[in-house]
Amino acid sequence: MITLLSDFGLTGPYVAAMKGVILSLNPDARIVDISHGIGPQGVDEGAYVLHQAYPFFPRGTIHVCVVDPGVGGQRAVLAVQAAGHIFLAPDNGILKYVYQDDPGFRAFQVVQPEFRRGKVSGTFHGRDIFAPAAGHLSLGVSPDSLGPPCREPVVRPVPELRVESGKASGEIVFFDRFGNAVTNIPRSLLPAGARASVQVRGIWMQGIVNSYSAARPGEFAAVFGSGETIEIAVREDNARRKGSLEIGDAVQVEWSLPGSR
Amino acid sequence: MITLLSDFGLTGPYVAAMKGVILSLNPDARIVDISHGIGPQGVDEGAYVLHQAYPFFPRGTIHVCVVDPGVGGQRAVLAVQAAGHIFLAPDNGILKYVYQDDPGFRAFQVVQPEFRRGKVSGTFHGRDIFAPAAGHLSLGVSPDSLGPPCREPVVRPVPELRVESGKASGEIVFFDRFGNAVTNIPRSLLPAGARASVQVRGIWMQGIVNSYSAARPGEFAAVFGSGETIEIAVREDNARRKGSLEIGDAVQVEWSLPGSR
Amino acid sequence: MITLLSDFGLTGPYVAAMKGVILSLNPDARIVDISHGIGPQGVDEGAYVLHQAYPFFPRGTIHVCVVDPGVGGQRAVLAVQAAGHIFLAPDNGILKYVYQDDPGFRAFQVVQPEFRRGKVSGTFHGRDIFAPAAGHLSLGVSPDSLGPPCREPVVRPVPELRVESGKASGEIVFFDRFGNAVTNIPRSLLPAGARASVQVRGIWMQGIVNSYSAARPGEFAAVFGSGETIEIAVREDNARRKGSLEIGDAVQVEWSLPGSR
């Protein structure tokens, strides 16, 4: 099984060309799109979307991640074994969360010419390097056959989380289509039974609910989201627009246990 | 075979997470997207799109419909057998046309914990309830194994159609990408050979043609559409924009047989 | 294997209805989307996208191309064998590049009623003619069984390329999602080692680089693109917007060999 993630969009011929190359090598490959709507050259956005999707695929799935502003330049192409999955990606940090998930990951540079298209363009490695490598991996080629180990892959900073006693501060890392703001503050920080309040851009929300439908219509609410972090939502409305929220906005949560002060 | 319909969009990780869950349960499942572009929480739009697509799939197909403003609240999740197909949907009326198509439908509440993910979030039942149920159904689990019957599923009103002698009034129920306005007025109302005229927002169209290319460029025309209802189109232009048409706009048709008065 | 290309968009039920019809005939068909985002009735755009994608699919793939402003009118529906692939398309010139690729192509009119849906609408031949024909072809039916030969298929003009000694002029034929402007000027025109300059809308670019990352950030650069033609790009920016470029804009390239004058 092979998944694809890119910033190519679905209008042009690029995603289809990659699929054609894969299926020409392995007509039985199962190909699933994760997203092709990552913002142009949005490496951090791609990293986040990949991280929220890949764990739900079967072990052994090959995830092809082509958000690649450095295509044709000096950056390496990597094949990474981690968390029971295989990843093909430019060495630009798009796998930063994967490395966090499995610090014992193994990375290899994709350089062996027999696993590329005969002619490699300088502008479309998705078709000429990533897709053929995915096809060969899906046929049983081992990642370490593609080239030598990569000792120090590029790592990009992940959004910062600061935790103190009874307090944590993080940030908005993603907006879904409904305008809900996903943060990087994990649900697991909060002790069971804690009373919590959450703040973004001066908007305070009392309590954290378990579903959007437990919030009051039209008011900002903090919700435990499906990625096991706190989200900020407005029921029947769009929190992003209503609060003029942006990626990177600071979010605070404070909590106390009943009876404590 | 499994189809998916949602309002999740294709940019984020949500649709892929559902597919991953299904394929982890049943790696041989065939998954086909109906649409993930339903307007946020557009239950009526989702109902319409589902209804125009599902009958073309093979009998036994499992249709997963996640337009679900009430996720995490009191609304039930249903597995419905109808018209030779199986539907998984929140009990919010998104299946209203399916119930019309097959009044002998059977509905069950999806409650058995062994057919859910181990941990169910309050915000993403698509991944945690619908996708696992679809996976299990595709492996042969019977809908009535998922939980007890649901006696009175929620039904939403369908757009009204009034028929009198030689006249009918309905409304615009959908716009396609070309701006053609699809109505709920069935072609079958009009007797063979009838002369008809159609009106929307004060615009009168004489006659109903069988194809867009039979209309005069630039003029409003009534067309017998592919859903066996009357559509309003402007050849080589966009009727929705040109006429400032909206969903729900009233549409009248009047007809007479040649020689009658 | 079957690919689909259309201007239907992915929001409505139309693409799914086509897939349902195909899968009802041949549940084992592999269906891959090339694009459903072609501009409404964008026959030339569809022709270009098809041409950039189809060669990467396995020989024998069936490509279904439904950009069809003349649906329901007098235009024929064609099944074309060319370049080792099979194409189903309206006879409106969307296959113009395919005919160029393989002047020995064979075209047949799709008219045999046993390969259509029982009832054919005047507005949705994608579902009623193209999809059933694709299903039957994928089951082994031969293109020449679908109807009589078509002697003179419609051909649309392809963007003009003029070549003189040391000079060529072409035009912008496509924009990718990043705003890079793809031209029809082939890389193969330029002799190895030539020094070249490229001009569009009065903007002159010295030299042609092999990758976007070899260009200077913020400046217009000519790049040898993945379609083996010259592209115009702005690194880390959008050339289309920055230069107010449009499809059809004239592009000149001039070259000389070092030492020549």
Side-chain angles (χ1 to χ4, degrees), chain B residues 16-102:
Chain B
M18 289 181 62
K19 293 180 181 176
V21 168
I22 292 170
L23 293 166
S24 294
L25 285 164
N26 181 2
D28 295 323
R30 293 290 310 264
I31 305 177
V32 179
D33 293 314
I34 289 186
S35 172
H36 299 288
I38 303 301
Q41 312 182 345
V43 175
D44 288 318
E45 183 188 355
Y48 178 80
V49 171
L50 173 68
H51 184 239
Q52 292 297 313
Y54 90 79
F56 300 101
F57 283 85
R59 288 175 69 86
T61 298
I62 299 156
H63 303 279
V64 184
C65 316
V66 194
V67 182
D68 192 9
V71 59
Q74 295 301 310
R75 65 97 187 87
V77 171
L78 301 183
V80 173
Q81 288 181 295
H85 296 248
I86 299 175
F87 301 85
L88 284 164
D91 184 19
N92 64 11
I94 194 170
L95 299 182
K96 62 186 179 182
Y97 294 112
V98 173
Y99 303 148
Q100 276 195 335
D101 286 349
D102 181 2

Side-chain angles (χ1 to χ4, degrees), chain B residues 1 10 30 32-38 45 48-49 52-53 56-58 174 176-178 182 210-213 223-228 231 236, chain C residues 7-14 16-17 19-21 23-24 27-29 36-41 70-73 117 119 121-124 127:
Chain B
M1 196 162 313
L10 288 169
R30 293 290 310 264
V32 179
D33 293 314
I34 289 186
S35 172
H36 299 288
I38 303 301
E45 183 188 355
Y48 178 80
V49 171
Q52 292 297 313
F56 300 101
F57 283 85
F174 188 71
D176 69 19
R177 188 180 180 224
F178 307 96
V182 183
N210 280 305
S211 72
Y212 307 123
S213 51
V223 182
F224 289 122
S226 61
E228 295 297 306
E231 295 184 15
E236 294 164 26
Chain C
D7 57 353
F8 294 158
L10 287 169
T11 296
Y14 304 104
K19 293 180 180 175
V21 169
L23 293 166
S24 294
D28 295 323
H36 299 289
I38 304 301
Q41 312 184 345
V71 58
R117 288 188 73 225
K119 183 163 187 180
S121 71
T123 57
F124 192 9
R127 179 193 68 191

Side-chain angles (χ1 to χ4, degrees), chain C residues 67-127:
Chain C
V67 182
D68 193 9
V71 58
Q74 293 302 310
R75 66 96 187 88
V77 172
L78 300 183
V80 174
Q81 287 181 296
H85 296 247
I86 299 174
F87 302 85
L88 284 165
D91 184 19
N92 62 12
I94 194 170
L95 300 182
K96 62 187 181 182
Y97 294 112
V98 172
Y99 303 149
Q100 276 195 335
D101 286 350
D102 181 1
F105 71 90
R106 297 171 66 210
F108 303 92
Q109 297 179 50
V110 179
V111 296
Q112 288 297 104
E114 66 267 36
F115 302 122
R116 305 178 160 207
R117 288 188 73 225
K119 183 163 187 180
V120 173
S121 71
T123 57
F124 192 9
H125 287 187
R127 179 193 68 191

Side-chain angles (χ1 to χ4, degrees), chain B residues 113-172:
Chain B
E114 67 267 36
F115 302 122
R116 304 178 160 207
R117 287 189 74 225
K119 184 163 188 179
V120 173
S121 71
T123 57
F124 193 8
H125 287 186
R127 180 192 68 193
D128 300 338
I129 297 180
F130 290 97
H136 286 290
L137 289 169
S138 74
L139 291 166
V141 168
S142 160
D144 60 8
S145 309
L146 301 178
C150 170
R151 300 292 170 200
E152 292 201 26
V154 171
V155 176
R156 291 172 73 89
V158 300
E160 203 171 353
L161 178 71
R162 290 192 213 178
V163 185
E164 299 170 69
S165 169
K167 284 208 270 194
S169 62
E171 59 188 75
I172 295 176

Side-chain angles (χ1 to χ4, degrees), chain A residues 44-57:
Chain A
D44 288 318
E45 183 188 356
Y48 179 80
V49 170
L50 173 67
H51 184 239
Q52 293 297 313
Y54 90 79
F56 300 102
F57 283 85

